[in-house]
Amino acid sequence: MTPADSGTAAERSAQPVRGRPRSEAVEQAIVEATMKLLEEGVPLGEMSIERIARTAGVGKAAIYRRWKGKEELFVDVLRTVEPDGPELPGTSMRDDLVALLEWQRLRGLASRSSAILRTAHAQMKSSPRIWEAYHSTVIAPRRKLGMEVLRRGQRDGELRTDLDVELVNDLFMGPMLVRAVLRPDADLTEGLAQRIVDTLLDGLRPPGAPSVGPRSVSSPSDPPECARSVTERP
C-alpha cells in the first residue's frame, strides 16, 4: 500500500458511520409522528401504520422493520414519554421498595402533566391487544421486580416469611396507584413513597427485626378518646 493509499484509508476510517445514526433518526421520526397523532386526538382505531408512516415521512416498511405492528409501536411510544424505569439501590429491601414507589409517584405526576400520556392511557384501555402488549412488556416485569425485592427481604430477615409475597406487593404498590390513577386530586408529594413503605413495614417486619429508616407514623402513648370510651364502658 502506498502512502497515498494509506492516507485515503485513514481518512475513510475517520469518517463517521452514517448507517446507524440515520436508522435512529428514522426511528425517532416514527415515534414523534405517533406522538403527534396522539396529541391531535386521533383515535387508535384510526391510527393506521399507513397514517403513521405518512406523518413521519417514511415508508411502511421502515416501521415494520422495527415493530411487528401498531401495538408494539404504541407501547414503545408510551415507554418513551414515561419516566425511566427505577434504579434500585440494593442496600436493603426497604430502600428498594422506596425506589419502586418513587418511580410510581413520578409516573403519576407525568401522567397528570402530559396530554400525550393522558390520551394514550385512556385509549389503551379500549384496546385489549395494546393493553396486553403494555402489560406483558412494562407492567409484568416491574411487578416481578417488586416481588423479587420482597423475596430477598424474606431471605435477609427484613420481612416475615409467612407472608404471601404477591399480596404484600399489592399492599405496597396499591396506595400509590390509588393516588396516581383513581384519585387525580390527591397529593403526590415528595416523601410519600417513604411514608407508605415505613407505615407498612411497621406491621410486616419479623419480631425483633430492627427498624430501617424514619418512622412515618407516630403512635400516641394514650388511645384516642373514642377508643377509651369503648374500652372503659362497662
Side-chain angles (χ1 to χ4, degrees), residues 6-230:
S6 62
T8 302
E11 289 172 1
R12 283 199 301 267
S13 64
Q15 292 176 352
V17 179
R18 299 187 181 279
R20 184 157 180 78
R22 183 165 58 247
S23 174
E24 290 177 351
V26 169
E27 185 170 318
Q28 183 65 25
I30 294 168
V31 170
E32 289 180 354
T34 309
M35 292 169 62
K36 180 176 184 292
L37 292 172
L38 282 171
E39 284 182 320
E40 293 174 354
V42 177
L44 286 174
E46 300 177 14
M47 200 180 297
S48 63
I49 292 295
E50 291 83 356
R51 187 167 185 176
I52 295 170
R54 187 168 60 250
T55 304
V58 302
K60 290 190 298 182
I63 296 178
Y64 284 118
R65 278 197 299 269
R66 293 163 175 81
W67 296 277
K68 293 180 181 178
K70 181 173 64 175
E71 291 78 14
E72 275 194 4
L73 169 57
F74 191 75
V75 170
D76 266 0
V77 169
L78 280 176
R79 296 172 74 172
T80 298
V81 294
E82 286 184 345
D84 292 336
E87 293 186 8
L88 305 186
T91 50
S92 67
M93 179 191 70
R94 184 256 180 194
D95 293 345
D96 286 352
L97 288 171
V98 169
L100 286 170
L101 265 69
E102 177 63 11
W103 179 85
Q104 290 282 9
R105 186 183 75 87
L106 295 175
R107 181 174 177 270
L109 289 173
S111 297
R112 292 179 181 182
S113 61
S114 169
I116 293 177
L117 276 176
R118 286 197 303 273
T119 302
H121 288 157
Q123 294 200 40
M124 183 171 58
K125 295 175 183 177
S126 64
S127 173
R129 292 178 61 184
I130 291 181
W131 169 250
E132 182 181 355
Y134 183 76
H135 186 276
S136 62
T137 59
V138 178
I139 296 178
R142 285 169 184 160
R143 181 174 176 78
K144 180 181 177 183
L145 179 61
M147 290 190 286
E148 288 173 352
V149 168
L150 293 170
R151 290 191 182 99
R152 189 174 68 246
Q154 287 182 323
R155 291 194 302 268
D156 295 343
E158 299 175 82
L159 186 69
R160 283 165 38 199
T161 57
D162 63 321
L163 296 171
D164 180 339
V165 167
E166 187 169 356
L167 175 60
V168 172
N169 187 64
D170 290 343
L171 291 175
F172 277 106
M173 302 301 162
M176 191 69 78
L177 287 173
V178 165
R179 289 198 172 209
V181 179
L182 300 180
R183 293 183 55 200
D185 59 327
D187 290 334
L188 291 171
T189 54
E190 289 188 23
L192 180 59
Q194 291 92 328
R195 288 166 52 203
I196 292 172
V197 170
D198 290 337
T199 299
L200 285 169
L201 282 182
D202 279 345
L204 298 177
R205 286 192 186 92
S211 175
V212 180
R215 290 180 59 88
S216 59
V217 178
S218 58
S219 300
S221 55
D222 296 322
E225 185 64 31
C226 59
R228 287 202 303 272
S229 64
V230 172

